[in-house]
Amino acid sequence: MKGRNTLTGLKENLYNPAFSHIYVEEGIKNHPGTARILSRFPKARLIGIKHYKDVFSRSNQDFLIQKKSPSLILAKKQDNFLYKGAPVCQDFGNRHFYYTTLVMNCIYDCEYCFLQGMYSSANIVVFVNTEDYFLHVEKILENHPVYLSLSYDTDLLALEQKLGFVREWISFAEQHPDLTIEVRTKSANIKAIGSLPHSQNVILAWTLSPETVQKNFEHNTPPLRQRISCIKKALDKGFRVRVCFDPIIYSKDWPASFSETVERTFGEIAPDRVIDVGIGVFRISRDYLKRMRKNRPDSAITQYPYEYDNGVYHYGRKLSDSMISMACDIVQKYIPRERIYLWKEAEGN
């Protein structure tokens, strides 16, 4: 191999491409959603299984190795279609706040992500039976409005060309005026944004991080400039957009890098074009952090000496409150206080 390091070439070719193998539950092999998704992976090797947990939940898996070459698992969701919003998640002032799991795991690899603590596998499970989710949402809508987050356990917008779930849910939301859906993302999927119809009860929420955080801890994610470009495209299309500076990762120079990120964001995006801003610091369940520390023994984020309080590890009330207060002051230079939502450690929400 002329002009190329042989060892480097071996390292690059050691793993199969992502989704080169797709596991399909027997019960949904004839589901139209399965056929649609498989049509987008014509070269994948298909493997039939009885239940997704036979692959996803097996013992002795290596999360980080699987991240380099994840498989796709197509399955049917049987129960627990909706969950009430957890205290560690912001509700943005919505009383009836729920989230749902359409996909388990994410194509990105952020060192602070709770998914690596929740699951033993880095493979991605896709529940194809969206019609059952719709029925459960409609039942709840009979009693009260619903604010529903679709994308806490994955990044749906990043997967849109492969799954098409965001389009399905936008269509569903347009038929139900008492439903508001939020799609949280770190993607820069301008192609998807350009093809999706906008709806006034759909919110696209971008998580933005300083460049140092993105480069060091948000592996495989697009840089800040690309996310900002995608936000601008979404706004031009007529989407309602939320900006989330959450989680803020502590370092000695975090105020300077955070301030630079906020200034850059609202230097390119008119502040009055976003509906609101979310601010929060890193926090994680005790059980999740235990597994994360095992998976990433050399990570500065997982090994930080957090304080424990009521089931959650965080920076401690004093430091957390100081960081949130300082971050809020920085954002308030551009966004009125009534449009800024804070996650408070002391209050649990």
Side-chain angles (χ1 to χ4, degrees):
M1 296 176 67
K2 294 182 179 180
R4 184 175 181 181
N5 185 298
T6 303
L7 292 178
T8 300
L10 287 173
K11 184 177 180 180
E12 290 175 352
N13 296 319
L14 183 61
Y15 299 99
N16 290 317
F19 307 149
S20 62
H21 292 64
I22 300 180
Y23 297 86
V24 182
E25 281 188 350
E26 292 179 357
I28 51 89
K29 63 181 180 181
N30 296 320
H31 191 284
T34 301
R36 186 189 71 245
I37 293 170
L38 290 181
S39 70
R40 292 159 184 174
F41 297 94
K43 296 182 179 180
R45 178 187 174 190
L46 306 185
I47 306 166
I49 56 174
K50 289 186 177 181
H51 195 276
Y52 78 89
K53 289 185 179 179
D54 296 340
V55 176
F56 189 72
S57 302
R58 68 182 188 271
S59 59
N60 299 320
Q61 298 186 80
D62 190 309
F63 188 93
L64 294 185
I65 288 180
Q66 286 183 344
K67 266 294 183 184
K68 298 179 184 299
S69 178
S71 295
L72 196 63
I73 305 172
L74 304 185
K76 180 178 181 179
K77 185 74 167 174
Q78 301 287 351
D79 51 23
N80 297 323
F81 290 90
L82 297 180
Y83 303 89
K84 288 193 174 181
V88 294
C89 304
Q90 288 186 320
D91 60 15
F92 292 91
N94 293 277
R95 180 181 177 187
H96 302 293
F97 166 43
Y98 296 82
Y99 72 95
T100 189
T101 301
L102 304 167
V103 177
M104 298 165 64
N105 270 333
C106 181
I107 61 171
Y108 299 136
D109 184 21
C110 300
E111 291 190 19
Y112 55 75
C113 182
F114 69 93
L115 295 176
Q116 62 191 310
M118 178 183 290
Y119 305 130
S120 60
S121 173
N123 292 323
I124 294 181
V125 178
V126 176
F127 297 112
V128 302
N129 53 319
T130 52
E131 67 279 1
D132 292 321
Y133 288 86
F134 294 157
L135 288 174
H136 280 76
V137 172
E138 287 176 334
K139 288 181 181 179
I140 297 178
L141 284 170
E142 292 175 0
N143 300 314
H144 53 68
V146 171
Y147 175 84
L148 180 63
S149 177
L150 301 182
S151 202
Y152 272 152
D153 292 345
T154 190
D155 195 316
L156 283 183
L157 192 62
L159 291 167
E160 182 60 14
Q161 274 90 343
K162 301 300 184 182
L163 305 183
F165 281 178
V166 178
R167 179 178 295 276
E168 283 191 63
W169 278 89
I170 290 176
S171 178
F172 178 73
E174 288 178 335
Q175 303 170 39
H176 299 83
D178 287 338
L179 170 65
T180 300
I181 62 174
E182 183 210 60
V183 181
R184 187 73 63 94
T185 186
K186 291 188 177 107
S187 75
N189 196 345
I190 287 182
K191 184 176 181 180
I193 293 296
S195 65
L196 289 170
H198 71 275
S199 174
Q200 286 305 298
N201 50 338
V202 175
I203 298 170
L204 301 183
W206 266 270
T207 296
L208 302 183
S209 305
E211 288 186 338
T212 53
V213 172
Q214 185 271 325
K215 289 178 180 178
N216 293 320
F217 304 117
E218 295 181 357
H219 309 299
N220 305 324
T221 64
L224 177 63
R225 59 179 174 79
Q226 291 183 8
R227 297 185 210 182
I228 291 175
S229 294
C230 203
I231 290 174
K232 292 161 71 174
K233 177 70 173 181
L235 289 168
D236 290 342
K237 277 288 301 278
F239 279 103
R240 300 172 68 203
V241 169
R242 166 174 293 140
V243 170
C244 300
F245 301 108
D246 183 12
I248 301 172
I249 303 299
Y250 174 77
S251 66
K252 290 183 179 179
D253 62 350
W254 82 264
S257 60
F258 180 81
S259 182
E260 180 182 352
T261 302
V262 174
E263 180 179 353
R264 183 174 176 182
T265 299
F266 295 116
E268 296 192 43
I269 300 168
D272 60 357
R273 298 188 74 189
V274 303
I275 59 171
D276 52 37
V277 171
I279 295 174
V281 296
F282 177 76
R283 65 273 187 191
I284 194 75
S285 159
R286 176 177 61 183
D287 293 337
Y288 295 170
L289 183 61
K290 182 179 180 180
R291 180 174 285 170
M292 290 165 65
R293 283 176 166 167
K294 182 179 179 181
N295 286 339
R296 297 187 189 270
D298 300 323
S299 170
I301 289 182
T302 63
Q303 303 304 320
Y304 185 92
Y306 299 104
E307 293 186 17
Y308 177 73
D309 180 24
N310 196 29
V312 177
Y313 276 105
H314 50 75
Y315 292 123
R317 293 188 179 185
K318 184 176 180 180
L319 178 56
S320 295
D321 287 348
S322 173
M323 291 175 67
I324 287 179
S325 178
M326 189 177 300
C328 185
D329 288 343
I330 293 170
V331 174
Q332 276 191 97
K333 296 176 182 178
Y334 305 91
I335 303 292
R337 178 63 184 84
E338 59 269 20
R339 287 166 50 208
I340 301 175
Y341 290 88
L342 311 177
W343 187 84
K344 290 285 191 178
E345 301 284 2
E347 299 172 1
N349 197 359

